[in-house]
Amino acid sequence: NPCLRITLADDDWQSSTVRKTCDPEWEDSETHHFLVFDWRQHVGIEVLDDGAFSRQRVLGRAKPLLFVNAVDASGEPIDLYPPDSNDDDPEQACGTAELLFEFLEPISHSFGLEEHCMLKVKVDEVYLPTSLELKGCALRLTLGDQQQTSPYGTILKEVQDDRITVEIEFVLDFVIKKEETASSIMNVELIADNDTTLAFAKYELQQLAKSPGLTQSWGSLGRPPMSLMGCNSEECLAELQMTFVGLSKWKPSAETETPENGHHEMKSLAKRRGSIIG
């Protein structure tokens, strides 16, 4: 009952399970997008046994694959080794796995030519009523089945207009099909340090798609902050910016330098096949 697990930095993705076979094949829909911030990052590849009545166990794992070498390995058999083998002196391969890797480069102020685009959300500060008496809070954003949460912000001591300022300063990234930008809704939650929802807002992404430069800001350039309403009718405010960023296919090389700002995207397609011995 094998399934595939791929990791890059703190992003851990697992494919569906193919039952009762040692030669699994996955559908074209088995894909995942990873954000790459450094060319020196490594891709981890493991094949797991997803037993129905037992805990998952590792059947085989590949040597760590350097990010810039993943495109060259795309569609080629990647050797899998026993989980207890040493990367410096691995035992005989116990199987292979084939994956397709694509690298997509962000393009500002454009939806790009690819099927997907990115949605970047830059969170700056949040303003809370003094009556809430919190130790900290964070923003949780939900787009379809994707959910991301900012770090819990630092409460600043100054009080202005009966509000406390919470400094967050964090960027959240989402991947969305371009055809869904006209109908998708972003749910924005302000959550307390005990994970309860303090205030809530909804934003239709079609408004962003129609905005100049595919960007919309709240709380800067003379615009008011985003209003989030709580269940007790108390209003919270958030300074943030949303931007659509297009994607274009790109091939890295070993000489590629890490950009000072921004990142690239790796798309891994587990649609090929794996072969496991034993």
Side-chain angles (χ1 to χ4, degrees), residues 79-117:
D79 287 335
L80 302 171
Y81 297 94
D84 55 354
S85 64
N86 189 324
D87 289 337
D88 297 328
D89 185 23
E91 301 176 17
Q92 183 177 1
C94 62
T96 61
E98 291 184 20
L99 298 91
L100 298 183
F101 295 98
E102 292 181 351
F103 294 92
L104 306 175
E105 182 178 26
I107 304 175
S108 300
H109 312 300
S110 169
F111 275 120
L113 301 177
E114 301 300 318
E115 178 184 6
H116 293 80
C117 64

Side-chain angles (χ1 to χ4, degrees), residues 6-223:
I6 303 177
T7 57
L8 181 71
D10 59 354
D11 193 352
D12 189 326
W13 174 73
Q14 186 168 304
S15 74
S16 63
T17 300
V18 183
R19 300 291 177 185
K20 299 179 180 180
T21 180
C22 288
D23 297 293
E25 294 190 19
W26 286 272
E27 300 293 332
D28 290 0
S29 59
E30 293 279 346
T31 66
H32 184 72
H33 293 81
F34 294 87
L35 295 178
V36 179
F37 294 88
D38 192 315
W39 311 151
R40 293 164 295 184
Q41 288 179 278
H42 286 81
V43 182
I45 303 170
E46 291 182 324
V47 176
L48 310 176
D49 180 18
D50 189 14
F53 303 102
S54 60
R55 297 178 60 183
Q56 289 183 339
R57 63 186 181 95
V58 178
L59 297 175
R61 61 167 55 99
K63 295 180 183 179
L65 179 63
L66 193 64
F67 159 72
V68 294
N69 296 331
V71 166
D72 292 333
S74 180
E76 298 294 328
I78 299 174
D79 287 335
L80 302 171
Y81 297 94
D84 55 354
S85 64
N86 189 324
D87 289 337
D88 297 328
D89 185 23
E91 301 176 17
Q92 183 177 1
C94 62
T96 61
E98 291 184 20
L99 298 91
L100 298 183
F101 295 98
E102 292 181 351
F103 294 92
L104 306 175
E105 182 178 26
I107 304 175
S108 300
H109 312 300
S110 169
F111 275 120
L113 301 177
E114 301 300 318
E115 178 184 6
H116 293 80
C117 64
M118 290 179 60
L119 172 60
K120 296 177 67 68
V121 183
K122 182 178 182 293
V123 182
D124 290 321
E125 294 180 341
V126 173
Y127 306 101
L128 309 175
T130 54
S131 59
L132 290 180
E133 298 181 352
L134 295 173
K135 295 181 179 179
C137 67
L139 274 185
R140 175 183 293 156
L141 279 67
T142 305
L143 179 64
D145 60 356
Q146 302 179 69
Q147 186 176 86
Q148 295 192 46
T149 304
S150 75
Y152 283 87
T154 302
I155 293 182
L156 304 181
K157 292 184 178 181
E158 63 262 25
V159 177
Q160 186 175 2
D161 298 328
D162 292 324
R163 293 186 183 277
I164 300 172
T165 301
V166 181
E167 189 176 62
I168 295 179
E169 295 188 355
F170 196 74
V171 177
L172 304 170
D173 297 285
F174 297 83
V175 177
I176 181 174
K177 288 185 177 180
K178 288 191 293 185
E179 64 185 29
E180 298 175 355
T181 57
S183 59
S184 296
I185 294 177
M186 174 70 79
N187 294 321
V188 184
E189 290 178 89
L190 183 65
I191 58 174
D193 50 8
N194 60 0
D195 205 41
T196 58
T197 299
L198 301 170
F200 185 87
K202 290 187 176 183
Y203 176 70
E204 296 180 353
L205 293 187
Q206 62 178 343
Q207 301 178 50
L208 179 59
K210 297 176 181 178
S211 299
L214 302 177
T215 298
Q216 188 160 359
S217 300
W218 292 264
S220 63
L221 303 176
R223 298 183 177 92

Side-chain angles (χ1 to χ4, degrees), residues 222-257:
R223 298 183 177 92
M226 177 180 283
S227 174
L228 296 87
M229 298 303 298
C231 57
N232 56 358
S233 298
E234 288 191 293
E235 183 185 36
C236 300
L237 304 174
E239 282 190 8
L240 53 87
Q241 181 185 76
M242 294 188 187
T243 305
F244 277 130
V245 179
L247 296 170
S248 176
K249 288 184 181 179
W250 171 83
K251 184 174 181 179
S253 66
E255 290 75 29
T256 302
E257 295 183 359

